[in-house]
Each structure stands twice: as structure tokens, then as C-alpha cells.
Amino acid sequence: MTTQQLHEQILQKKSFLCVGLDPDLDKMPQHLLETEDPIFEFNKAIIDATHDLTVGYKPNTAFFEAYGIKGWMSLQKTINYINENYPEIFTIADAKRGDIGNTSSMYAKAFFEDLNFDSVTVAPYMGKDSVEPFLAFENKHTIMLALTSNEGAFDFQTLNAGGKELYKQVLETSKTWKNSENLMYVVGATKAEYFTEIRKIVPDSFLLVPGIGAQGGSLSEVCKYGMNDKVGLLVNSARAIIYASKGTDFAEKAREEALKVQKEMEEIIDLKFQV
Amino acid sequence: MTTQQLHEQILQKKSFLCVGLDPDLDKMPQHLLETEDPIFEFNKAIIDATHDLTVGYKPNTAFFEAYGIKGWMSLQKTINYINENYPEIFTIADAKRGDIGNTSSMYAKAFFEDLNFDSVTVAPYMGKDSVEPFLAFENKHTIMLALTSNEGAFDFQTLNAGGKELYKQVLETSKTWKNSENLMYVVGATKAEYFTEIRKIVPDSFLLVPGIGAQGGSLSEVCKYGMNDKVGLLVNSARAIIYASKGTDFAEKAREEALKVQKEMEEIIDLKFQV
């Protein structure tokens, strides 16, 4: 998928919501646990109930790996289900990978070729040759951590590193890498005041914004400082949507929560773009 | 496994070699490709041929994930094979994981519980709450990236960050985290001159040292500056050992290469510890 296609989908759906798929057996409705593949059944129901309100799904690989081979099978079924039934959806493997060049190539192969995701999240610590193998894939997107939504973000990301905060160094340096037009960045919603500075460095890039909902970030603040003239935001919400209910009505309740966020986004888009 | 047990194994085998398992179908002997699970058969043969010369095996998860579910099954069979047949061996899931707290907990569950590795590699960029969930596991070890062996290490890791190089900040800050005694660190062999400084910060920690062999690092240099009075090093070699031959003699040739490294290590141990 191209960023232009993603942009068009956002305007059409009046949504820049991405639903995080963090399937946790302990938080799922009881009746699903009796099915053969509860994780897939859960994801499928959430996807069917929300696909018209969201432009992206972001399966978090940790929540699949924790269940071993069975979990990896559920991940494969989930991405296949999205690709087959809702091919317009932008898919993100939230995997936070990154290693020396020949290893990163194998991760890129895993997520872009074997699983056929549109994008994957990566960590910047190992630098250029750990990220460029991902960037080599045409019409695939590499979403690099810049400033994350958690408390630990302040341990290293905001240190003054070589004259500016580390996350700014990461943003600036990454722009010099080969095929850097395939980069997007993770910027946490809990740090809305930082978006102005970030937009000076990467005015045109899509930003993937976690931290709305359970983590406490504010959508209007994020949009105020982070939106560009192509929207340029994918706002992720996971727990607040997918665990809205633990009953048999979980998918319906997930839709209600997604709809609330989509409506808020529609207002913002209408106001800003006078559509 | 405790670090004391690892130390005892090192003295007994006179080796601090760790063999990296990076199974790549394109580099494997032709005759294995006709078996049902070439990746496992390759690993099994390498393990059987080298287990008395090495104290650790480090499967690189990327090389399994690239083959999807089949790859993940090969990973599970490989770790089970080691744990069942050579329980004294220290096992490392080279996965470079790290995410917000509840996600890191799932990764820890995946590698420490589901797959039963002794240790896993993690990335430091997201800070304290992304690593502490791994540290909570007793007698399991979390090997955090400090200074890596690749060129990209100089993009961010060596920037002056808050008064000292970022990798030093990472080392120092991590010592304040809960259960930090369960930390080890990745320090690349291609940067031997840095070991002196690193040992001032973490004199007692085990360091996992990649970059010997194909990447060009020198064993004697690493030992000169990096060894502590409990050895404190795990030196990894992958390609130079496992791909020593592409013929039917690949396991035998792998043993020959591993033996060369082990003999060099034996000399160093004998000299330093006058065993």
C-alpha cells in the first residue's frame, strides 16, 4: 500500500484510527476460550465489527508469541483474514525488531513477505544498517520508534545527545538513510507537547501514535500539534476498544468504543479539511 | 541457570564460546533440504558436533521467523533438543525485544516460559519499564544491547548523551533497575578498545560478545580488555562455525572451527587463571 492510498482511505472513512490487536486469553470473553483458536476468533470478531471505522490494525507480536506455535498460527490467520476480507486496511506488525543487517533482512522477509504486512515497527538503537534492510521493500513501511508513550521514554530518548534530544537525533539521522521515504515514526500520545518540535523535523511523515485510551493520551491535543495537511497520523487504541466488554457482546462494545473515537476524528477532519 | 553454574561450566570446558544458530536455507548443505525439517536437522547436527566445546547456543529468532510457522516450530524443536540432551548448556534467544511493560511481560513469557530459554536479548531504547518485566524472572537472564558490533553502532550509541556516551548511560542507568543482577550486556568484539571503559561500569556482569569471525573481531583483544576474574565473557561465533562447509561434512567442519576457537580460549583461561 502507498501512503497516498492510506491518505485516501483516511479521508473516505473520516478516520485515522488504528486498532491494536493485543489478544490476551486472561482478558477475553469466557465463551471464546472453548473454541479451537480463541485468539483468532477474538480478532476476527473485533475486525468484522470495526473495519469500517478504522484504517489500520496493529497486531502486537508479543501477544501471539507468548502462546508459542499456536500463537504464531493465530497471527498468520489474523493477517490473512484482514488481507483477504479487507484489503484496503493498512496492517502493522508491532514487533519492534532491529538487528545487524543480515538479520534485519530476515525479519523484513518474515513480516513483509511471509506474513505480508504493510508495515512493521522497528527500534533505532543499532542505527542505519539495522533499519535499511526493511526500507528496501517497495510499498512497505518501516515505523521506527522515536518518542514512545511509556515512562521509560525519559531514560534515554530525551537525553541531550550530540546537541539535541536523542529522539530528534534519531528522526534527523534517519532522514539520510537510503529509501527513507518508506519511514514512519512512533510518537506517543502521552507526549503531545513534543509534536510541534517533531513536525519541524518530519513534516510529511506519517506518525503512529499509541497511548490514547488506557495510557491516557488526548486525541485533540495530538491532532492540534501533530496533524499535517495530509492528516499524517495513525492513532492507535488497543485495550480501550478490544476489552470494552468481557461478555458475549464484546465485539458490539468494541464497535461502540471505536465509533466514539471515529466520530471525534470525523469532527477534527471536517473542521481542518472542510470536507 | 545461575551465573555461578555458567561460570563453572566455563572452567570445566575451558571454553566461553557460544555458537550462534542462524539457519539459512540458502547456505545449508543440499542433502538437508530434502528432509522434513531442514532447519532443525541442521541445528541438531551442529549441536551434537559441538556441545562439548561450547557453553552456549544462541538461536537468532529472525532466521526462524523468516520461515513462518514452520520456522517457529523449528525454533521450538531446537530449544527443546538442547534442554533435553544438554541441560548444562546456557541458551540465548537472540530476539532483541523490548516494548511497553505489559507487552514486554508477554515477550518474557514467550521466551522464558513457553520456550524455556535461559536468557533473551533486549533493546534499551524504551527504558526501564520495557526491560524490568524480563528481569522479574528468577534465574533467567536479560542481555541488553550496550555497544553493538555493526557500523550503525556509531549512529546513536556513541553520541555524547547527557555528559557521557549513550552506551555508558545505558549501562549505568540499567544498574539502578529492579533485579538488575539479572542483566548481562551485548558488547561487540569489533570494538575491543571500548572494553576497558565498559568494565569500569559493569565489572562483574557477563558480556555477550558477537562479532568474532565473519564480522572481524579479535578474540585476544576482547579477552585482554574485557575478561574479569570470573571470565565474564560469552563470545559468540555463528557463520564462521556453522557454515564452515556446505557439504555433507558440515557438522564435522563446524566442530573443527569450534575446536580452534575453544583451544584459543583454553590457552587464555590457563594463562589467566593458572588452572
Side-chain angles (χ1 to χ4, degrees):
Chain A
M1 184 179 300
T2 64
T3 51
Q4 181 58 28
Q5 287 170 317
L6 176 56
H7 174 63
E8 283 162 15
Q9 190 193 166
I10 288 171
L11 291 188
Q12 194 195 332
K13 291 183 174 172
K14 294 194 174 181
S15 170
F16 43 98
L17 174 62
C18 173
V19 173
L21 299 173
D22 301 8
D24 183 338
L25 293 179
D26 295 337
K27 291 183 184 159
M28 271 183 206
Q30 192 60 33
H31 73 284
L32 286 182
L33 301 183
E34 291 143 28
T35 63
E36 205 185 317
D37 187 346
I39 291 180
F40 173 67
E41 294 302 333
F42 178 79
N43 290 343
K44 181 175 173 298
I46 296 282
I47 292 162
D48 286 338
T50 59
H51 68 93
D52 57 319
L53 305 173
T54 180
V55 294
Y57 289 107
K58 180 175 76 61
N60 181 333
T61 54
F63 285 75
F64 297 85
E65 291 177 21
Y67 302 109
I69 290 161
K70 219 168 142 47
W72 200 263
M73 288 175 77
S74 305
L75 176 63
Q76 181 131 55
K77 280 165 77 178
T78 300
I79 179 67
N80 288 349
Y81 186 78
I82 301 170
N83 283 338
E84 280 160 24
N85 293 281
Y86 309 108
E88 79 283 5
I89 292 276
F90 185 73
T91 53
I92 303 168
D94 196 2
K96 311 277 199 304
R97 300 296 200 261
D99 207 312
I100 61 172
N102 74 321
T103 299
S104 276
S105 293
M106 293 305 255
Y107 280 128
K109 202 179 142 185
F111 292 106
F112 292 153
E113 289 184 352
D114 183 68
L115 291 169
N116 199 15
F117 275 92
D118 291 312
S119 67
V120 63
T121 57
V122 303
Y125 193 73
M126 293 181 67
K128 174 175 167 159
D129 51 332
S130 72
V131 179
E132 283 188 342
F134 292 97
L135 299 177
F137 286 74
E138 212 178 342
N139 291 331
K140 298 286 186 180
H141 306 273
T142 304
I143 312 179
M144 192 163 72
L145 298 180
L147 187 60
T148 58
S149 58
N150 62 325
E151 238 189 271
F154 298 110
D155 282 340
F156 310 119
Q157 296 166 27
T158 53
L159 285 179
N160 184 318
K164 54 177 72 85
E165 287 161 294
L166 179 59
Y167 74 91
K168 291 186 188 170
Q169 283 285 4
V170 165
L171 289 167
E172 288 194 357
T173 304
S174 71
K175 289 170 70 178
T176 67
W177 296 343
K178 196 174 175 190
N179 300 312
S180 63
E181 67 278 8
N182 293 332
L183 276 169
M184 300 181 176
Y185 301 94
V186 174
V187 181
T190 48
K191 315 229 163 19
E193 68 271 30
Y194 291 84
F195 276 85
T196 311
E197 292 294 302
I198 288 167
R199 276 301 181 203
K200 287 183 193 161
I201 308 171
V202 287
D204 302 324
S205 303
F206 262 97
L207 306 180
L208 172 65
V209 185
I212 292 277
Q215 293 180 64
S218 149
L219 179 62
S220 61
E221 288 289 295
V222 165
C223 292
K224 187 171 163 189
Y225 301 112
M227 204 170 245
N228 66 17
D229 60 7
K230 291 258 193 176
V231 183
L233 295 174
L234 284 172
V235 170
N236 188 72
S237 181
R239 285 171 272 178
I241 291 177
I242 67 176
Y243 299 123
S245 159
K246 217 185 159 171
T248 51
D249 64 346
F250 74 101
E252 199 180 313
K253 292 292 178 196
R255 181 175 175 82
E256 283 175 22
E257 288 304 313
L259 189 62
K260 277 186 215 165
V261 184
Q262 186 273 325
K263 283 293 170 208
E264 215 183 322
M265 289 176 169
E266 181 163 346
E267 265 182 49
I268 294 168
I269 288 176
D270 282 349
L271 204 70
K272 173 139 181 167
F273 298 94
Q274 320 226 306
V275 192
Chain B
M1 184 179 301
T2 65
T3 50
Q4 181 57 29
Q5 288 170 317
L6 175 56
H7 173 63
E8 282 161 16
Q9 190 192 167
I10 289 171
L11 291 188
Q12 194 196 332
K13 290 182 174 171
K14 294 194 174 179
S15 169
F16 43 98
L17 174 63
C18 173
V19 173
L21 299 174
D22 300 9
D24 184 339
L25 293 180
D26 295 336
K27 291 184 185 159
M28 271 182 206
Q30 192 60 34
H31 73 284
L32 286 182
L33 301 183
E34 292 143 28
T35 63
E36 204 185 318
D37 188 345
I39 292 180
F40 173 67
E41 293 303 332
F42 178 79
N43 290 343
K44 180 175 174 297
I46 296 283
I47 293 162
D48 286 339
T50 58
H51 67 93
D52 57 320
L53 305 173
T54 180
V55 294
Y57 288 107
K58 181 176 75 60
N60 181 333
T61 55
F63 286 75
F64 298 85
E65 291 177 22
Y67 302 109
I69 290 161
K70 218 168 143 48
W72 200 262
M73 288 176 77
S74 305
L75 177 62
Q76 181 132 55
K77 279 165 77 178
T78 301
I79 179 68
N80 288 350
Y81 186 78
I82 301 170
N83 284 338
E84 280 160 23
N85 294 280
Y86 309 109
E88 79 284 4
I89 291 276
F90 185 73
T91 54
I92 303 169
D94 195 3
K96 312 275 198 308
R97 300 297 200 261
D99 208 311
I100 61 172
N102 73 322
T103 299
S104 275
S105 293
M106 294 306 254
Y107 280 128
K109 202 180 143 187
F111 291 106
F112 291 154
E113 288 183 353
D114 183 69
L115 290 169
N116 198 16
F117 275 92
D118 291 313
S119 67
V120 63
T121 58
V122 303
Y125 193 73
M126 294 181 67
K128 174 175 166 159
D129 51 332
S130 73
V131 178
E132 283 188 342
F134 292 96
L135 299 177
F137 286 73
E138 211 177 343
N139 290 331
K140 298 286 186 180
H141 307 273
T142 303
I143 311 179
M144 192 162 72
L145 298 178
L147 186 61
T148 58
S149 58
N150 63 324
E151 238 188 272
F154 297 109
D155 282 340
F156 309 119
Q157 296 166 26
T158 53
L159 285 179
N160 185 317
K164 55 178 70 86
E165 288 161 294
L166 179 59
Y167 74 91
K168 291 186 188 171
Q169 282 285 5
V170 165
L171 289 167
E172 289 194 356
T173 303
S174 71
K175 289 170 70 178
T176 67
W177 297 344
K178 196 174 174 188
N179 299 312
S180 63
E181 68 277 9
N182 293 332
L183 277 169
M184 300 180 177
Y185 301 94
V186 174
V187 180
T190 48
K191 317 231 163 17
E193 68 271 28
Y194 291 85
F195 276 84
T196 311
E197 292 294 301
I198 288 167
R199 275 302 181 202
K200 286 183 193 161
I201 308 172
V202 288
D204 302 323
S205 303
F206 262 97
L207 306 179
L208 172 64
V209 185
I212 291 278
Q215 293 181 63
S218 149
L219 179 63
S220 61
E221 287 289 296
V222 164
C223 292
K224 186 170 163 190
Y225 301 112
M227 206 170 244
N228 66 17
D229 60 8
K230 291 255 194 180
V231 182
L233 295 174
L234 283 172
V235 170
N236 188 71
S237 181
R239 286 170 272 178
I241 291 177
I242 67 175
Y243 298 123
S245 158
K246 216 185 161 170
T248 50
D249 63 346
F250 73 102
E252 198 180 314
K253 291 292 178 194
R255 181 176 176 82
E256 283 175 22
E257 288 304 314
L259 189 62
K260 277 186 215 163
V261 184
Q262 185 273 326
K263 283 293 168 206
E264 215 184 322
M265 289 176 169
E266 180 163 346
E267 266 182 49
I268 293 168
I269 289 177
D270 283 349
L271 204 69
K272 172 139 181 167
F273 298 94
Q274 319 226 306
V275 191

